[in-house]
Amino acid sequence: MSITMDTTLASLVTNKRRVSALKSLGIVTVGDALTYYPFRVTEPVPLRAIREAAPGQQMAFAAVIRDMRVVPMNARRGYRLEATVDDADFARSRRVPGSTARLTFFSYRKSYVDWVSMRLRAGTSVVVSGMPSEYMGQLQFTHPEILTVAPGSAGTGAGLEGYARGAASGNGAFAGSTDPYASAQSAYPPAAAAPSGAALKYDADTVQEALTRVCRPRPVYHASSRISSEHIHETILGLLWMMGARTSSTPDGKLAGAGSADIVAPTTDTIAVQNGEENSGTTAESGAEALSQSIPDVLPESVRKAKNLMHRAEAFLAIHDPASTARFKEAIETLRYEEAFVSQTSLLKARSHAHKSAAHSCPLVTDSLRDQFIASLPFSLTAGQQQVIHDIAADLAHDWPMQRLLQGEVGSGKTVVALAAMLQAVDAGYQAVLVAPTQVLAEQHAETIGRMVEQLKPAIPVTLLTGGMKLAARRKALAAAASGEPGIIVATHAAFSKTFQAPHLALVVIDEQHRFGVEQRESLNAKTDDGTTPHLLVMTATPIPRTAAMTWFGDLDISWLTELPGGRKPIRTVVVNEADAATMGRMFAHIRARVDAGERAYIVCPRIDADDEGNEGGSGVSAAAGSARGRAAASGSSARTAAGGRATRAAADAIGIDDPYETFDENGETVARPPLHAVAEIADRLQKLPQFQGIRFATLTGRDKDDVKTQVMADFAGGETPILVSTTVIEVGVDVKRASCIVIFDADRYGLSQLHQLRGRVGRGGTNSWAFLISRAEPGSPAEQRLEVIHHSLDGAEIAQADLEFRGAGDVLGDAQSGGKSSLKLLRVVKDADMIADARTRAEQLLAADPELAGEVQLAGAVLDFTRGNETFLTSS
């Protein structure tokens, strides 16, 4: 059976419960498994004789089982298995006296106890790894890792001395002689004969092999209640064995070599080993060759050699079965550079492709509609607006499609810039479409634009098209678009439907571009009858640092609007601990006072109702909202704090594989967190408070129908329901001038950019305004640190920079918030800026010599996969 990165686990893993558990982590194929990276790697386990043991410190040793007994636990259900081990020969190799210790196992399952009993028969040679403790005056190891050693590999214990010297030097199994076990033989007596009919399978053929395996660094994966990190590791190693790996990664960078440890062949209980594969490819050379064929390199050979990087197959092996922590980090750097190179190649190809397409040229004319519109404005444009309008005008005059990203703070005047561009297209005799993410925002845009152009000559038709329109109105709007008459169309997702036709479409403006995927944008490209590609202007109010934007939106020209209109007062931001009842009470009293003064207040919750397990369609908080997303993910500079695991923070920072939204313990298990607040729950609780007696509340969620949303917002703006409890559907575009207060529950579970977006919903009418961030974050935690950033800053760029440092690149590029899957798992925008710049330069050189990547088939495939898996647009979170 030929196994590739696309082979499904269901066809290989015989344990269907494990297949299901892996699927819940997003692991469906072999490629998913190999790119499910560990978030840390343990340090090598030191060798110590039993007499050298220190309670609470991990150690490994070789010993012989002297006796074993099973004791029923009378006080409670279950069994206790105790085995006594003697390390006399191993201790002699370390020049200390031998001693004994007790191995203890507890279980309710008789089958487990029987299985352990069969393995730990008197006389069996074992290698033990665990953390010692003291019980009733004797050294004890509770549930240690045990590897049984096959009998017959006997010899003197002196052969262990090389290993012992290496361990004593502080480098575990990787110091001392080149091959510390080259002449090692075991002095342990063979185990007693197996019971008749029993087919015992030993874990290792020799003591040195077993010691190497237990002492090596071990990767730790994000796990769940359904599958442990150990089982994830076991599955991945089994897959690597099936793909050809027979020995683990070694410090000299080869797939096999001196001192390497064999990868144990998976059992048929785990992996569906095919007939004839059990003994195939058993030599190191054939194993290396087979693995390289199964996992071909993506990077061009010239780039890999110039950067002194590993082969992709070797990097996967070094990550999942590392010979040392240094080797693990080297492999991470290899695959991190691969991500940088593939992503930059993809962006450069997209940019090159756009310049080869044809578009309608829309040059400026004398006494243009655009100039009439600018002259009619009751205010002067800022210098930034004037510059961006000039740049867009030059782009529209070309006969290839403009692709421009317009980034600006809330209220910076992006709509005016977009309307000027649309009028230039209309003036040239074409149609322009403005696509908004919600019906409420589309209706606001249509009303605003209609007002702004009503005095222009000739008259400009403005057509509104939304999915919530009545059939007759919808048909009328579709007919107006299909006529090809020059004009402006304001639409929601309805513009992406097959029924929408705009034969003379020259310009597409997408507001809040993170809400739309690349497939939807491409569907608009196909709306023209003459085969041209519309000019594209995408806008976002979600701030991103300039360097990050230039790096990741390399297929777009970028414009910034940094000047805010006058009259807006700074928003006062207050972080409130939810457990502080007194402060919470004062906050609610303050909100009541503002409502009595004729103002409005938003209350934002991440969930719709208490039964919701996830966030709302991607618009709420991120992975913390429900079950684990299963990304081993793209990382920021902050490490997660684990229960009892703060000591691993520096190591996690150095490797940079962490996800700030979920908390994991040292074994990769998800740590339970308090349930998120829900709209229905909070609305019910607040209405019962004395501070809000006589006040009408409204609720708004993504489940509400469009006409309901419109009515709710109208009642809120008009003051009939001055307090609105909602999910983050109000994050984008909602403009209520009298809104002066916003309360955000579970604020510690949001990203900074999303909090900044939500905060921008208030203070839009020039009144004093407040944002209250309700938090349950632990003191000193990364979540608390994130809130301190938003507390002290109103600068979108500064906040975005901090957000990137906390979050990493994973949610900056990709569809992580919209149910998709990002191809970026290791690359970090902030920390890896130099690496990204280097990759871009090398990608430019490669594409200049081979624009279609005809000579780099694997890279071309990776670029195609990246393009499909990553919509190059910003996510708002």
Side-chain angles (χ1 to χ4, degrees):
M1 178 180 179
S2 178
I3 300 176
T4 69
M5 298 285 279
D6 295 323
T7 303
T8 62
L9 294 189
S11 65
L12 297 174
V13 179
T14 54
N15 186 329
K16 299 310 175 187
R17 291 181 64 183
R18 185 174 294 189
V19 171
S20 176
L22 290 168
K23 185 176 180 180
S24 71
L25 296 177
I27 304 173
V28 177
T29 67
V30 172
D32 294 334
L34 296 186
T35 57
Y36 191 81
Y37 301 118
F39 69 87
R40 69 180 179 91
V41 64
T42 63
E43 291 297 323
V45 177
L47 282 180
R48 290 183 184 140
I50 292 176
R51 283 190 181 273
E52 299 172 304
Q57 295 184 16
Q58 194 84 5
M59 61 176 281
F61 62 95
V64 172
I65 304 293
R66 289 306 179 203
D67 59 66
M68 183 269 299
R69 64 173 183 156
V70 176
V71 182
M73 294 187 290
N74 297 324
R76 50 184 178 149
R77 205 164 46 86
Y79 304 88
R80 181 177 76 252
L81 185 150
E82 296 178 349
T84 302
V85 293
D86 180 352
D87 75 338
D89 294 293
F90 176 74
R92 189 181 307 119
S93 73
R94 295 183 61 81
R95 295 175 173 79
V96 296
S99 187
T100 60
R102 182 168 50 213
L103 313 181
T104 305
F105 301 84
F106 300 93
S107 180
Y108 291 117
R109 292 187 296 142
K110 184 67 164 60
S111 59
Y112 172 76
V113 173
D114 290 342
W115 176 73
V116 176
S117 300
M118 187 171 65
R119 299 180 75 226
L120 303 187
R121 300 184 325 278
T124 302
S125 296
V126 294
V127 166
V128 181
S129 175
M131 192 172 293
S133 61
E134 191 172 330
Y135 178 69
M136 298 184 67
Q138 185 174 5
L139 201 67
Q140 173 175 283
F141 293 82
T142 304
H143 285 275
E145 179 182 2
I146 302 287
L147 294 184
T148 58
V149 181
S153 58
T156 66
L160 295 170
E161 292 180 3
Y163 196 108
R165 285 194 301 271
S169 71
N171 296 315
F174 311 108
S177 62
T178 304
D179 184 359
Y181 298 120
S183 62
Q185 300 293 325
S186 173
Y188 304 124
S196 178
L200 285 181
K201 182 173 181 181
Y202 294 93
D203 298 315
D205 292 331
T206 63
V207 172
Q208 65 267 25
E209 176 192 332
L211 285 170
T212 301
R213 281 170 52 189
V214 301
C215 291
R216 289 167 65 83
R218 186 161 310 178
V220 183
Y221 302 82
H222 293 326
S224 70
S225 59
R226 299 180 61 187
I227 186 168
S228 67
S229 174
E230 280 295 321
H231 284 157
I232 294 171
H233 188 212
E234 176 187 69
T235 302
I236 294 174
L237 288 185
L239 294 172
L240 286 167
W241 189 93
M242 287 288 287
M243 298 177 84
R246 294 295 182 267
T247 54
S248 52
S249 170
T250 57
D252 61 6
K254 299 177 182 178
L255 285 172
S260 63
D262 288 343
I263 293 180
V264 179
T267 66
T268 53
D269 293 336
T270 306
I271 302 288
V273 180
Q274 305 298 309
N275 290 336
E277 289 184 354
E278 294 90 338
N279 299 313
S280 66
T282 53
T283 67
E285 292 77 11
S286 62
E289 183 180 347
L291 189 62
S292 299
Q293 289 176 353
S294 299
I295 308 174
D297 217 345
V298 168
L299 288 174
E301 185 70 9
S302 59
V303 173
R304 187 168 71 84
K305 288 184 176 179
K307 297 294 294 180
N308 194 27
L309 301 173
M310 297 181 184
H311 188 282
R312 193 176 200 223
E314 170 64 7
F316 281 135
L317 197 54
I319 286 173
H320 297 296
D321 192 30
S324 65
T325 53
R327 191 67 178 153
F328 174 84
K329 293 176 183 179
E330 187 181 343
I332 289 291
E333 287 303 297
T334 290
L335 294 180
R336 186 170 280 152
Y337 190 89
E338 178 188 288
E339 286 187 357
F341 195 86
V342 170
S343 62
Q344 294 307 303
T345 303
S346 176
L347 292 173
L348 290 169
K349 277 184 66 67
R351 189 182 185 93
S352 172
H353 179 74
H355 283 186
K356 293 178 182 177
S357 302
H360 292 298
S361 175
C362 304
L364 273 175
V365 297
T366 306
D367 192 26
S368 65
L369 290 170
R370 190 202 74 169
D371 292 342
Q372 289 183 48
F373 161 65
I374 293 173
S376 70
L377 291 173
F379 53 84
S380 299
L381 296 178
T382 65
Q385 286 175 313
Q386 293 177 29
Q387 181 61 51
V388 174
I389 288 173
H390 173 77
D391 292 342
I392 291 175
D395 287 346
L396 291 176
H398 294 145
D399 57 3
W400 65 82
M402 169 183 74
Q403 289 193 294
R404 185 171 290 276
L405 169 66
L406 175 58
Q407 178 184 323
E409 289 276 7
V410 172
S412 60
K414 295 187 299 296
T415 304
V416 169
V417 172
L419 182 51
M422 289 189 286
L423 289 173
Q424 184 172 335
V426 172
D427 227 359
Y430 299 109
Q431 295 169 293
V433 173
L434 170 62
V435 186
T438 66
Q439 176 165 324
V440 171
L441 187 54
E443 290 172 346
Q444 286 184 4
H445 276 316
E447 181 182 352
T448 301
I449 291 173
R451 251 193 342 263
M452 287 180 163
V453 303
E454 63 184 357
Q455 303 299 326
L456 301 184
K457 300 296 181 183
I460 308 298
V462 179
T463 304
L464 175 65
L465 175 63
T466 70
M469 297 173 69
K470 292 184 178 179
L471 185 58
R474 181 179 171 82
R475 284 178 174 171
K476 184 178 180 181
L478 287 171
S483 70
E485 179 187 2
I488 295 172
I489 303 161
V490 181
T492 57
H493 287 74
F496 304 121
S497 69
K498 293 180 179 178
T499 56
F500 175 74
Q501 297 295 327
H504 295 154
L505 184 60
L507 173 64
V508 175
V509 180
I510 294 183
D511 193 15
E512 292 306 330
Q513 68 152 341
H514 60 275
R515 303 288 174 148
F516 305 105
V518 69
E519 293 89 354
Q520 292 173 314
R521 298 209 311 245
E522 287 176 351
S523 74
L524 283 175
N525 289 346
K527 298 300 181 184
T528 56
D529 291 342
D530 52 13
T532 58
T533 299
H535 298 282
L536 178 66
L537 176 65
V538 289
M539 305 190 296
T540 180
T542 305
I544 42 177
R546 183 175 296 256
T547 53
M550 293 175 70
T551 298
W552 289 117
F553 297 95
D555 57 334
L556 304 175
D557 295 307
I558 305 173
S559 297
W560 279 268
L561 289 177
T562 56
E563 302 166 79
L564 289 178
R568 289 198 69 173
K569 297 180 180 178
I571 302 168
R572 303 173 197 177
T573 304
V574 183
V575 179
V576 181
N577 189 315
E578 190 172 341
D580 186 349
T583 303
M584 292 284 286
R586 289 196 300 272
M587 176 188 73
F588 291 134
H590 171 80
I591 292 172
R592 174 59 188 262
R594 303 320 306 164
V595 168
D596 288 343
E599 296 169 9
R600 316 280 184 265
Y602 297 103
I603 312 288
V604 178
C605 304
R607 290 201 295 175
I608 297 176
D609 54 51
D611 294 330
D612 266 347
E613 285 301 322
N615 61 45
E616 181 182 62
S619 62
V621 295
S622 191
S627 59
R629 182 177 293 153
R631 294 183 299 165
S635 50
S637 61
S638 70
R640 66 179 53 80
T641 53
R646 293 181 187 274
T648 66
R649 179 169 187 146
D653 271 346
I655 297 170
I657 310 175
D658 37 35
D659 172 0
Y661 286 105
E662 293 194 69
T663 303
F664 298 89
D665 63 21
E666 287 208 335
N667 293 319
E669 299 279 353
T670 305
V671 175
R673 302 176 73 178
L676 297 166
H677 289 300
V679 168
E681 163 214 353
I682 292 297
D684 181 62
R685 283 170 52 185
L686 295 187
Q687 289 180 83
K688 295 176 181 177
L689 293 178
Q691 291 96 326
F692 297 122
Q693 290 300 310
I695 298 293
R696 289 185 62 194
F697 281 67
T699 62
L700 182 68
T701 75
R703 289 182 188 167
D704 295 327
K705 294 182 178 179
D706 286 338
D707 56 341
V708 173
K709 291 179 184 176
T710 301
Q711 187 59 51
V712 167
M713 289 307 301
D715 292 345
F716 176 63
E720 293 183 37
T721 52
I723 297 181
L724 178 64
V725 185
S726 78
T727 58
T728 54
V729 292
I730 58 108
E731 173 190 355
V732 174
V734 174
D735 191 1
V736 178
K737 301 295 186 188
R738 292 194 176 187
S740 63
C741 296
I742 185 167
V743 178
I744 305 172
F745 279 91
D746 294 307
D748 53 299
R749 308 277 279 271
Y750 291 82
L752 296 184
S753 293
Q754 189 171 29
L755 290 175
H756 185 60
Q757 278 277 79
L758 289 167
R759 179 170 61 179
R761 296 306 104 201
V762 297
R764 301 168 73 86
T767 60
N768 291 322
S769 55
W770 294 263
F772 298 97
L773 310 181
I774 312 302
S775 167
R776 289 182 282 187
E778 294 290 330
S781 67
E784 185 184 63
Q785 295 168 22
R786 288 202 301 270
L787 292 183
E788 282 303 302
V789 172
I790 202 83
H791 176 207
H792 293 293
S793 178
L794 292 171
D795 185 329
E798 178 184 329
I799 290 167
Q801 182 71 26
D803 205 13
L804 276 177
E805 291 172 357
F806 277 114
R807 296 159 59 83
D811 288 336
V812 175
L813 183 68
D815 202 10
Q817 290 293 323
S818 306
K821 182 168 59 177
S822 172
S823 295
L824 291 178
K825 296 187 177 183
L826 300 174
L827 201 59
R828 306 161 301 184
V829 168
V830 177
K831 286 189 174 183
D832 299 327
D834 291 342
M835 177 187 290
I836 293 165
D838 180 88
R840 191 176 184 88
T841 300
R842 294 179 188 273
E844 286 173 342
Q845 294 169 355
L846 177 66
L847 289 172
D850 186 3
E852 299 304 319
L853 299 178
E856 301 291 344
V857 177
Q858 295 299 329
L859 176 61
V863 167
L864 182 60
D865 289 342
F866 180 88
T867 304
R868 288 173 176 167
N870 292 272
E871 283 71 336
T872 47
F873 58 96
L874 191 63
T875 59
S876 170
S877 43

